[in-house]
Amino acid sequence: MGRYKIKDLSHYFKQYKKSVKNPVRFWDKIASDHFEWHQRWSNVLDFDMKEARFEWFKDAKLNITINCIDRHLKKKGDQVAIIFEPNNVDEEVQNITYKELYARVAKMANVLTEMGISKGDRVCIYLPMIPELAVSLLACARIGAVHSVVFAGFSSVALSTRINDCDCKLLITADGGFRGSKVIDLKQIADEALKSCPGIKDVLVVKRTHQPVSMTPDRDYWLQPLLDEAAAMHVAEVMDAEDPLFILYTSGSTGKPKGMLHTTAGYMVYMGYTFKNVFAFKKGDIYWCTADIGWITGHSYIVYGPLLNGATTVLFEGIPSYPDHGRFWDVIQKHKVNIFYTAPTAIRALAKESAAYFENRDLSSLKVIGSVGEPINEEAWKWYYENIGRRRCPLVDTWWQTETGGIMISPLAFVTPTKPSHATLPLPGIQPALMDELGNEIHGNLVSGNLCIKFPWPGMARTIYGNHQRYIDTYFSTYPGRYFSGDGALRDETGYYRITGRVDDIVIVSGHNLGTAPLEDLINSHPSVAESAIVGFPHDIKGNALYGFVILKEEAGNSDGDEIRKEINQLISDNIGPIAKLDKIQFVQGLPKTRSGKIMRRILRKIAENELNSLGDTSTLLNPEVVDNIMSNRL
Ligand code: WT7
């Protein structure tokens, strides 16, 4: 078992140079060569970085599902498109061929149409990781409806906020969901949410767990009987290049979640291109991404990217620790997975378990392994590369965001030599820049700064749904003329990028982005809380965990601290979801503030990280005395 062979990187540099010199020609060729269009574009790109207006493939007409499904039917109709691996090991695997996928999507599209959904309508999807989830996305795209998937781990309040923000007309959900040994009461959560969603006219319910649920007459319909009646043929709606494809919410550092809007042609071209090149996808490869379709990784690299390439994509309902910590490795062995894409938090958790879980598994089918979601520390990188990739598989550490649609900075498997914890080089077509605090670009190597992108790419989000100004303010105004990612990065001596993490008030916990400001607002609504500040601190498995500093109201003086801690976390669970719970809650007398009244989070971060000797300058604080007090009571 030797190392894998690297092809000549000079081919990459040649392509890269071409893509920067003439982006229009570069994307024009990719769009022409690899996709099916009803009508070609008259112009590849028209844009204005200041106003954040981007128009890709003007006048082109297409339907993304024709590219994901129909065009494969002739040669690959009997090839498996989706392998469904259920949560429970004793339940049968479903192998859904491209032909069957076509029929399922057509039926679903016909059901949606019968429910009165048409082009441009928003449909909310709140489902566990079952085939109906992928089918629902594709059925929406088929009829030109805009899907808005809400991760099934979100609470009823989070669900209703997202439904109302983009005025969804219809909800697709399930009676419940299996997750390890637990059953999630999805319908019950949805019912709670719908009490405050007057815009939802109908609810389609998938029977998954068969638990008893309440069905509201004239609103709730079991999906299966409707599918049984529907025709298995559907003529796809012809879409314009810039017609919306989907909305997906991501946390903001302030205020309500941002509904990132992605459009049709550019997203399709970018997902098809990046999937093939980053993972070195070859015909016949079995590909498995362990993300949830509720996140962008699942949209782009479980559903659209693989299907655009006619791949076989594994859809896994379960979790890495059920029935035991060998589940991932069992699934790889069972389905002879060739390309495996997962998150650092899962890798760190599994690395802690006994080697017996992976040592005697046959992982020889693997040829490429990948990581996404947060920086992968060196220890985890090496463990993954050695024990799972067995030093034979390139490890692609892929940096990107909900906003970017697809992978931006990453090794190309078998092309780019990898380096632990480095996302390495930009994909052709992507022009990164590091910026200093004054807004100047930092050139040269061995430097660090804030990570921006200088030129548009087809997969980028086009706006924040219903609030274009917020889109401009958040991403295009910190460094005028550039897209600002919110991440910090350094460039090493060879020009490789290493992403160092968020430079704003977003903390990534187990790969989930959490804005600290919305969490603080929520905690401050607790009747005993006067004020709070939340920061992230390093955590062995989750990457980061949340530390809350909370000032209680005077009248709460005699209450039980542990009781309030419990209530705060319950409040978070109910309003956002259990993923956002605080690991530590310290009650404090005051918070360190600047003279203008702003909380100095830098200091709180250091305290949470236990870096008490590097607090930096505290002399400009309005109330330096609170710092000692906080430090001495640190949890
Ligand atoms: C944030 C975006 C990308 C899809 C899943 C997350 C962090 C993502 C990496 C990586 C270091 C990474 C960044 C980014 N991130 N991938 N390979 N190395 N950091 O999408 O929820 O929109 O989160 O995840 O901080 O800004 P998202």
Side-chain angles (χ1 to χ4, degrees):
M1 253 193 254
R3 285 177 131 260
Y4 55 89
K5 273 216 185 74
I6 287 285
K7 285 188 219 137
D8 189 1
L9 193 58
S10 70
H11 178 68
Y12 159 82
F13 282 116
K14 220 167 105 191
Q15 281 289 107
Y16 186 76
K17 274 200 191 107
K18 268 205 252 174
S19 78
V20 171
K21 209 168 151 205
N22 196 336
V24 163
R25 189 184 303 163
F26 178 77
W27 291 115
D28 185 88
K29 183 158 169 49
I30 290 168
S32 301
D33 290 355
H34 302 285
F35 304 93
E36 222 174 273
W37 305 87
H38 287 76
Q39 181 179 301
R40 273 183 65 97
W41 46 98
S42 60
N43 188 16
V44 172
L45 171 64
D46 191 21
F47 73 103
D48 176 345
M49 285 292 243
K50 283 226 163 65
E51 291 298 314
R53 301 221 171 269
F54 308 96
E55 195 175 3
W56 283 91
F57 308 110
K58 186 186 174 72
D59 293 327
K61 296 202 183 293
L62 71 155
N63 187 291
I64 192 169
T65 69
I66 290 197
N67 284 274
C68 287
I69 306 170
D70 304 42
R71 66 170 168 151
H72 305 312
L73 292 178
K74 226 177 176 174
K75 285 193 184 147
K76 289 185 178 170
D78 295 320
Q79 186 204 295
V80 176
I82 297 177
I83 298 176
F84 173 57
E85 168 74 25
N87 178 70
N88 298 320
V89 277
D90 46 13
E91 189 182 323
E92 222 176 297
V93 166
Q94 281 183 42
N95 287 305
I96 304 169
T97 64
Y98 272 93
K99 263 189 205 151
E100 287 161 351
L101 182 62
Y102 172 86
R104 290 178 75 157
V105 170
K107 279 173 171 279
M108 187 74 195
N110 286 323
V111 168
L112 290 175
T113 305
E114 259 173 56
M115 303 302 289
I117 300 300
S118 58
K119 186 170 174 172
D121 288 340
R122 272 82 58 209
V123 171
C124 180
I125 304 174
Y126 185 65
L127 283 175
M129 281 286 284
I130 52 178
E132 286 81 356
L133 176 52
V135 168
S136 296
L137 265 69
L138 294 162
C140 285
R142 188 87 182 168
I143 65 170
V146 183
H147 57 75
S148 169
V149 181
V150 176
F151 171 58
F154 272 128
S155 71
S156 59
V157 179
L159 175 60
S160 64
T161 310
R162 285 160 178 75
I163 287 175
N164 291 331
D165 183 73
C166 64
D167 297 318
C168 293
K169 259 172 102 171
L170 181 128
L171 173 70
I172 307 174
T173 188
D175 49 358
F178 297 119
R179 219 183 127 69
S181 54
K182 288 191 200 145
V183 174
I184 315 287
D185 301 323
L186 286 178
K187 181 63 167 64
Q188 203 185 315
I189 299 169
D191 283 339
E192 191 55 40
L194 292 184
K195 287 184 186 159
S196 48
C197 301
I200 292 285
K201 300 287 174 260
D202 297 303
V203 181
L204 297 174
V205 188
V206 178
K207 211 170 239 180
R208 176 64 187 135
T209 54
H210 295 262
Q211 67 199 93
V213 295
S214 85
M215 296 289 279
T216 303
D218 294 329
R219 187 195 73 182
D220 300 351
Y221 303 89
W222 291 110
L223 178 62
Q224 195 54 50
L226 300 176
L227 289 173
D228 291 341
E229 298 279 293
M233 275 270 296
H234 183 271
V235 180
E237 186 76 30
V238 178
M239 305 299 289
D240 287 335
E242 287 293 350
D243 276 339
L245 177 64
F246 67 84
I247 297 166
L248 185 61
Y249 287 85
T250 186
S251 315
S253 42
T254 56
K256 58 175 185 169
K258 299 172 289 193
M260 304 312 308
L261 182 90
H262 285 276
T263 59
T264 306
Y267 179 82
M268 174 182 82
V269 168
Y270 200 64
M271 294 325 123
Y273 171 74
T274 53
F275 176 78
K276 185 172 177 18
N277 288 286
V278 170
F279 299 108
F281 171 76
K282 292 271 163 358
K283 212 176 135 204
D285 281 347
I286 311 287
Y287 164 87
W288 181 22
C289 166
T290 69
D292 193 291
I293 294 175
W295 310 112
I296 190 72
T297 307
H299 282 56
S300 299
Y301 299 110
I302 295 177
V303 181
Y304 290 112
L307 297 180
L308 283 165
N309 283 281
T312 298
T313 179
V314 176
L315 201 158
F316 174 50
E317 184 183 27
I319 55 174
S321 54
Y322 181 81
D324 63 40
H325 293 96
R327 187 68 191 270
F328 274 8
W329 325 131
D330 285 343
V331 173
I332 291 174
Q333 171 175 313
K334 177 169 163 191
H335 298 299
K336 300 196 169 49
V337 170
N338 304 112
I339 305 170
F340 178 64
Y341 191 28
T342 193
T345 183
I347 296 165
R348 286 188 298 260
L350 295 173
K352 279 207 167 1
E353 300 300 326
S354 155
Y357 285 120
F358 58 83
E359 267 174 358
N360 52 8
R361 294 302 193 286
D362 180 5
L363 304 181
S364 62
S365 58
L366 288 176
K367 68 169 200 183
V368 175
I369 56 177
S371 169
V372 59
E374 58 181 313
I376 175 164
N377 50 304
E378 260 177 62
E379 202 187 338
W381 196 101
K382 287 188 173 140
W383 182 88
Y384 189 27
Y385 180 72
E386 284 166 14
N387 296 293
I388 305 307
R390 313 245 158 123
R391 297 168 185 269
R392 301 179 290 104
C393 306
L395 193 176
V396 293
D397 174 6
T398 63
W399 175 81
W400 58 292
Q401 309 178 293
T402 304
E403 296 84 338
T404 69
I407 297 167
M408 301 287 280
I409 302 181
S410 168
L412 303 177
F414 305 109
V415 173
T416 318
T418 57
K419 177 177 176 182
S421 306
H422 286 67
T424 73
L425 297 169
L427 265 55
I430 302 306
Q431 303 184 31
L434 297 179
M435 310 296 289
D436 69 15
E437 300 295 317
L438 300 170
N440 303 309
E441 181 167 348
I442 308 166
H443 294 279
N445 291 339
L446 275 177
V447 292
S448 68
N450 287 347
L451 180 60
C452 284
I453 310 293
K454 290 198 274 193
F455 195 84
W457 63 101
M460 69 197 303
R462 300 297 193 267
T463 193
I464 292 175
Y465 187 85
N467 196 346
H468 194 68
Q469 191 57 45
R470 188 175 181 200
Y471 186 55
I472 299 176
D473 294 346
T474 311
Y475 303 104
F476 296 90
S477 60
T478 316
Y479 302 103
R482 285 152 196 236
Y483 167 83
F484 175 41
S485 66
D487 282 322
L490 48 84
R491 205 159 42 220
D492 77 359
E493 61 286 354
T494 60
Y496 273 17
Y497 288 87
R498 176 179 193 156
I499 313 300
T500 46
R502 301 293 309 186
V503 296
D504 53 10
D505 291 327
I506 287 175
V507 183
I508 303 190
V509 179
S510 300
H512 306 309
N513 286 14
L514 299 169
T516 53
L519 270 171
E520 288 163 6
D521 290 346
L522 185 64
I523 294 171
N524 296 348
S525 73
H526 185 284
S528 304
V529 172
E531 200 182 358
S532 64
I534 294 173
V535 297
F537 70 101
H539 183 281
D540 272 4
I541 291 175
K542 300 199 267 192
N544 296 291
L546 297 172
Y547 194 124
F549 298 91
V550 175
I551 306 177
L552 293 178
K553 286 182 182 158
E554 246 169 71
E555 58 266 32
N558 297 324
S559 357
D560 175 359
D562 279 340
E563 199 50 43
I564 298 181
R565 286 193 180 93
K566 252 196 226 148
E567 287 168 13
I568 289 178
N569 271 333
Q570 192 59 46
L571 195 64
I572 294 175
S573 263
D574 292 346
N575 284 277
I576 298 175
I579 46 177
K581 283 203 252 182
L582 308 184
D583 267 40
K584 294 183 180 179
I585 300 176
Q586 179 181 349
F587 298 119
V588 298
Q589 304 298 320
L591 293 166
K593 292 200 175 164
T594 62
R595 281 171 210 281
S596 60
K598 254 184 98 178
I599 299 171
M600 286 273 260
R601 284 160 210 287
R602 175 174 59 78
I603 291 173
L604 294 175
R605 247 178 249 134
K606 292 282 180 202
I607 295 175
E609 286 164 7
N610 205 8
E611 305 249 340
L612 304 183
N613 297 324
S614 56
L615 289 190
D617 188 7
T618 56
S619 66
T620 56
L621 286 178
L622 188 66
N623 51 353
E625 71 284 354
V626 303
V627 176
D628 285 337
N629 191 283
I630 297 177
M631 283 204 308
S632 50
N633 292 309
R634 191 183 166 276
L635 298 175

